[in-house]
Amino acid sequence: MTESLTVRDNRTGQEYDVPISEGAIKAKDIGAIKADDDSPGLAIYDPGFVNTASCRSAVTFIDGEKGILEYRGYPIEQLAESSTFLEVAYLLINGALPSKAEYEQWVHDITYHTFVHENVKSFMEGFRYDAHPMGMLMASVGALSTFYPEAGVIGDADNRMIQIIRMIAKMPTLGAWSFRNAQGKPFVYPDNELSYTANFLSMLFKMSESRYEADERLVKALDTLFILHADHEQNCSANAVRSVGSSQVDPYSAVAAGIGALYGPLHGGANEAVLRMLRRIGSKSEIPAFIEGVKNGNEKLMGFGHRVYKNYDPRAKIIKKACDDVFDVTGVNPLLEIAQELEKIALEDDYFVSRKLYPNVDFYSGLIYEAFQFPPEMFTVLFAIGRTPGWLAQWLELTQDKEQKIARPKQIYTGDRGLDFTPRDQRWA
Ligand code: CMC
């Protein structure tokens, strides 16, 4: 039986049968509903795409009510426990787990492309000493499109893949250098003898030693954090990548747009905001007054709430465990106590319970990042490195999806019409 929706337009009395497929109706079918031949078709008003599917996707599955997150069908808990970030990246991009040979080739290819053109380095050295590393990352990823002009040939599968490999490979280099710029320290070149994540830590923290040896527990924890951030279906930045990518621009420009979206405090910038919030609260005794302020609408409890998860964020659970592993090495972050107490109080408060507001991935990730000695400005850069394979998997899917069109939402126009222009000398007289 074909499923359908019967819609009666009370303006005209006419009934329409709208087909339902995969739990959705097509906005185009609603557009066929008109008050009369001259009026525009019915539109759907949905700021923030709260209930609008913009694509069909086989990359990531989320059930927000049940707290389920799967990449290509694999639960996030299993991937975080047993996989590596590069294996997860392969999975997201290629749609299946790699064989041994495929994995080794993939790791080799990514490792081989970690270096950037020296001019990228000079470009990055041109930023002011206090430049926000996310601004630097966004600009330098965008700049890569000028180093690989062939990246614009997005119809060629081999060409797409080499750009994907380059971007995953170079993101830690660019991220680390944006950090070193703020520190006034020399940029450290990649060490291709190290793993992806160990090399990133080396480029961040190496000084005069011949090889930077990061603690393996920290490498594992950061690798897990990258896995947790690797994709999250049609979030704000993935949507930005897809929206910009739909113009058929090269993937560097599309991902630069994603980085811009991630920069914002309601998206990837939230963990930075959480840390600032915890520091401002300062002590457990100040929490009740802070919560009162949130309930009065003065501000948000950063790191709480999610558009999709209305029960719990499965990533937050895994991160709490990673917190313990990292603090075993670095010592406990004193803000942890405030965060735990804040979480406890909020989870018992009707304001948060009734709105289904729970800790999200960013509530605890900032505490871990701080334990690594990252300044808050770097947190979103770490998120961006982790999210890169997800953005690229979404972009790759877009480029091969015959149903996709250039993104161009409708509007409901609320402004004036048909005004007569009065020349300046008359208006200003
Ligand atoms: N603190 C206090 N109240 C909140 C919060 C919060 N963190 N989040 C939502 N609310 C309230 C909101 O004011 C609204 O209340 P009311 O119904 O009385 O107007 C209700 O809860 C529903 O919120 P919403 O704004 O309609 O929810 P949304 O789905 O549009 O927003 C969100 C989702 C993540 C932007 C929002 O929860 C938020 O701003 N949280 C804080 C920022 C944050 O932690 N962001 C990280 C998200 S996870 C990582 C990522 O995706 O980047």
Side-chain angles (χ1 to χ4, degrees), residues 120 138-152 163 166-167 170 174 249-256:
V120 175
M138 178 164 56
S140 49
V141 169
L144 286 183
S145 75
T146 67
F147 289 84
Y148 306 107
E150 76 280 8
Q163 311 312 333
R166 280 187 176 132
M167 222 176 312
K170 294 181 198 312
L174 302 176
V249 74
D250 68 88
Y252 299 100
S253 304
V255 167

Side-chain angles (χ1 to χ4, degrees), residues 149-169:
E150 76 280 8
V153 186
I154 64 162
D156 181 278
D158 291 342
N159 185 37
R160 284 195 299 255
M161 195 49 78
I162 181 66
Q163 311 312 333
I164 286 173
I165 288 168
R166 280 187 176 132
M167 222 176 312
I168 296 173

Side-chain angles (χ1 to χ4, degrees), residues 164-201:
I164 286 173
I165 288 168
R166 280 187 176 132
M167 222 176 312
I168 296 173
K170 294 181 198 312
M171 203 60 91
T173 313
L174 302 176
W177 288 3
S178 59
F179 171 74
R180 301 284 290 204
N181 180 69
Q183 307 250 312
K185 290 180 181 157
F187 294 175
V188 176
Y189 287 103
D191 180 344
N192 286 348
E193 298 297 312
L194 297 174
S195 72
Y196 185 86
T197 304
N199 170 49
F200 177 51
L201 287 169

Side-chain angles (χ1 to χ4, degrees), residues 50 232 235 262 265-270 274 294 299-308 310 313 315 351-352 355 357 360-362 383 387:
V50 176
H232 214 227
N235 55 87
L262 191 70
L266 296 191
H267 192 6
V274 169
V294 171
E299 61 182 305
K300 280 186 168 171
L301 171 50
M302 298 312 284
F304 259 64
H306 200 277
R307 171 63 60 79
V308 180
K310 299 298 175 193
D313 180 340
R315 301 168 302 172
Y351 175 93
F352 299 94
R355 288 171 177 77
L357 301 172
N360 60 49
V361 66
D362 284 332
F383 192 156
R387 183 55 57 87

